Amino acid sequence: LEVAFVWNRSSGRLTELPEELRLSGEDLSVCLRAATARKVDVVVEVAHPAISAALAAPLLRAGVDFVVGSPTALAAVGTERAMREASASAESGGLYIPSGALWGAADLQSLSNRGGLAALTVTMKKHPASFRLTDAVLDAKREAALQAGGGEVVLYEGPVRGLCPLAPNNVNTMAAAALAASSLGFDGAVGRLVADASLVTHEIEIDARGPKRADGSQFSCVTRRSSPAPPGAVTSKATYGSFLESLVRARGRGKGLHMV
């Protein structure tokens, strides 16, 4: 991999990079121009869902692959539609969704594609200091969990679509799961966000269930991922490694949306 440029709103964040790689400022069109002029193969967003919402579609239409590091962006119906449409033609770039902390993304996608997924619940548990919330009610619950010093406090339980704008930096795993489970999507997949001040790990549980059969039996699979993370950490170190592996795989798959 060779880096063509790095953009950040603040130029002060880029001082350690060679000058020829630095792009900054409020005008995101500089990224579009640089991607075309420097003939980049793939653009990777690791900043904020709003950046993917602004850049993905025009870059995809220009034939540039795009990695959505903040897949909570696709919880907005218009944004998901724009990205999917922009990646649909033969000349389009591919739209890549990194698995991140999502264990078994390919299995969820396969199960969903063949009609074998009836329900999906993703539970994420973290120390209260690790959450970055935009909703006052959820943040009050988070603060109560912090003051309690231990014990689980459920901040949210419901459709993943409703949670993504409330915790856009914390629930990318849930968004990736909703995209992998396309038969359920953001409205059918359930997210549970739990704060627990005793945790020194990020805990993620994926509970997938198939349709009930005539005899009452049902396929089910539950996976649990426990990744060390100090209080205040939004992402565990293990997830950074997973993201890098996704980046290496994000190439050459052509048009459409791809889980990597």
Side-chain angles (χ1 to χ4, degrees):
L1 295 176
E2 180 181 349
V3 177
F5 66 85
V6 178
W7 174 88
N8 193 292
R9 274 201 177 89
S10 172
S11 59
R13 297 290 185 93
L14 306 175
T15 54
E16 295 183 7
L17 294 174
E19 188 172 356
E20 64 270 18
L21 297 183
R22 304 178 201 169
L23 295 178
S24 61
E26 295 291 333
D27 184 5
L28 290 175
S29 66
V30 67
C31 297
L32 302 176
R33 294 193 297 271
T36 302
R38 304 185 191 191
K39 295 180 170 57
V40 303
D41 299 306
V42 58
V43 170
V44 184
E45 176 272 309
V46 286
H48 189 274
I51 306 303
S52 275
L55 289 179
L59 284 167
L60 289 165
R61 286 193 292 268
V64 179
D65 289 340
F66 194 89
V67 178
V68 186
S70 304
T72 52
L74 283 85
V77 175
T79 298
E80 180 180 7
R81 183 186 303 114
M83 289 190 193
R84 287 186 182 274
E85 290 176 352
S87 64
S89 75
E91 297 78 24
S92 298
L95 181 63
Y96 293 90
I97 308 298
S99 343
L102 175 62
W103 199 260
D107 300 291
L108 284 175
Q109 190 171 38
S110 175
L111 193 63
S112 179
N113 288 345
R114 65 174 189 265
L117 187 62
L120 176 67
T121 301
V122 182
T123 300
M124 300 183 69
K125 301 178 183 181
K126 298 182 180 182
H127 188 280
S130 295
F131 291 113
R132 305 290 183 268
L133 306 172
T134 65
D135 180 77
V137 174
L138 263 63
D139 199 50
K141 292 181 180 180
R142 180 202 64 79
E143 182 62 28
L146 184 64
Q147 296 302 320
E152 294 187 357
V153 176
V154 178
L155 304 181
Y156 177 96
E157 182 168 3
V160 170
R161 190 183 303 281
L163 178 55
C164 286
L166 306 180
N169 298 317
N170 289 115
V171 297
N172 285 305
T173 299
M174 293 185 186
L179 289 164
S182 57
S183 59
L184 298 174
F186 283 94
D187 294 311
V190 173
R192 293 183 71 248
L193 199 62
V194 179
D196 184 342
S198 69
L199 288 177
V200 290
T201 56
H202 289 178
E203 304 286 331
I204 299 175
E205 179 180 287
I206 312 293
D207 186 337
R209 297 179 184 271
K212 284 191 176 181
R213 299 170 181 167
D215 62 0
S217 63
Q218 182 183 36
F219 167 85
S220 66
C221 180
V222 179
T223 62
R224 292 183 179 87
R225 180 184 190 266
S226 180
S227 184
V234 175
T235 303
S236 71
K237 288 185 178 180
T239 302
Y240 288 118
S242 173
F243 186 87
L244 179 59
E245 286 300 313
S246 293
L247 181 55
V248 171
R249 295 193 297 269
R251 59 175 65 193
R253 301 196 185 187
K255 66 179 183 178
L257 185 148
H258 313 282
M259 303 296 302
V260 289

